[in-house]
Amino acid sequence: MERLKKLMVSSNPWLRVITIYLIGFLLLIIVAITSNVLLPEGIIKNANPLWNWSVSQNLLLGTLQIFCFNLIFDVVMVLADLFAKCSRKSECYLPTGYWCLFLMFIIFGVMIGTWSFQMATTSMPFIDRMARMFNTTEASGLLEMLAFCCIAGATANIAIVKSKKDGSTTSSRVRDIHLSGSEIIILIIGLCLQLTAAFIETKSIHLI
């Protein structure tokens, strides 16, 4: 576990992104299978009032709508990354933003397992749902999650408040935050992937 934590907060931001994406993907698959077996279909379809809005019929405006909506989660993750925790037996400070990221993977897994997508109409067999997830010309989910991983990974080491389980806390100033060249590139890639995912999702919605 400690070795995995070190990969998640590695000094190499590319390694961080790959690690958290693989963890998130595995979590997604497990949750999708479990929720498909245990939970009723459509259980969280109207659970979140933030999802109850219509996408513009204009492809460009619809893309910008979804992109700006996802920016809300970006901001939440980055703000959460300002805080990091370390267990007593560990030397690694894990950013709080990672828990937000993995929660999104879990929610995505439940949505696939129970077919709780807001714009979804008729259901489809579970195997077809899983297969469709990999078709990035129609489904933007995995691309969107990769974008979130890029943003979370790029800002994983910006914590200004670091706390340990024993109660000790160290803090620094916001002005002390500095992103490396690679982290800035990954952040830009994440936003570009998010914009692409928003375009794919808008196009898919228009085809329903």
Side-chain angles (χ1 to χ4, degrees):
M1 183 61 74
E2 184 66 15
R3 187 174 181 180
L4 185 61
K5 287 180 180 179
K6 287 180 179 179
L7 290 174
M8 292 169 69
V9 294
S10 167
S11 58
N12 184 336
W14 300 98
L15 186 56
R16 294 200 299 260
V17 172
I18 292 171
T19 302
I20 59 177
Y21 188 71
L22 290 177
I23 293 172
F25 180 75
L26 180 60
L27 188 61
L28 185 158
I29 298 298
I30 293 171
V31 171
I33 294 172
T34 305
S35 61
N36 179 255
V37 174
L38 300 178
L39 300 177
E41 190 169 294
I43 188 172
I44 61 170
K45 187 169 184 177
N46 297 303
N48 190 342
L50 288 176
W51 294 338
N52 294 329
W53 51 278
S54 57
V55 177
S56 172
Q57 291 300 309
N58 181 287
L59 186 59
L60 178 59
L61 289 179
T63 299
L64 290 176
Q65 272 184 302
I66 294 174
F67 177 72
C68 290
F69 180 74
N70 285 333
L71 285 178
I72 296 173
F73 300 101
D74 294 341
V75 171
V76 170
M77 278 196 305
V78 172
L79 289 177
D81 276 343
L82 294 174
F83 303 86
K85 288 187 176 182
C86 177
S87 62
R88 291 176 182 175
K89 296 182 180 181
S90 176
E91 297 179 356
C92 300
Y93 285 90
L94 290 181
T96 308
Y98 277 176
W99 304 116
C100 300
L101 175 68
F102 294 140
L103 178 60
M104 285 193 284
F105 270 106
I106 290 172
I107 293 173
F108 184 37
V110 174
M111 290 175 74
I112 292 173
T114 62
W115 201 240
S116 295
F117 292 98
Q118 195 68 21
M119 303 298 177
T121 51
T122 56
S123 183
M124 61 175 65
F126 180 68
I127 295 299
D128 292 342
R129 300 177 199 176
M130 298 298 288
R132 184 180 183 275
M133 181 175 67
F134 293 97
N135 183 358
T136 54
T137 61
E138 294 182 5
S140 62
L142 287 181
L143 199 62
E144 202 170 79
M145 297 313 299
L146 177 58
F148 283 131
C149 285
C150 286
I151 293 164
T155 58
N157 289 337
I158 66 170
I160 57 174
V161 178
K162 297 181 178 181
S163 58
K164 282 197 169 188
K165 280 287 182 71
D166 61 8
S168 62
T169 302
T170 58
S171 60
S172 55
R173 298 170 298 180
V174 175
R175 70 176 69 178
D176 295 327
I177 296 174
H178 297 289
L179 295 180
S180 67
S182 294
E183 288 170 337
I184 292 172
I185 290 172
I186 291 173
L187 197 59
I188 293 172
I189 289 174
L191 291 172
C192 289
L193 286 174
Q194 210 159 63
L195 187 60
T196 303
F199 174 79
I200 294 170
E201 187 173 348
T202 306
K203 191 175 177 182
S204 178
I205 291 171
H206 287 172
L207 293 175
I208 295 176

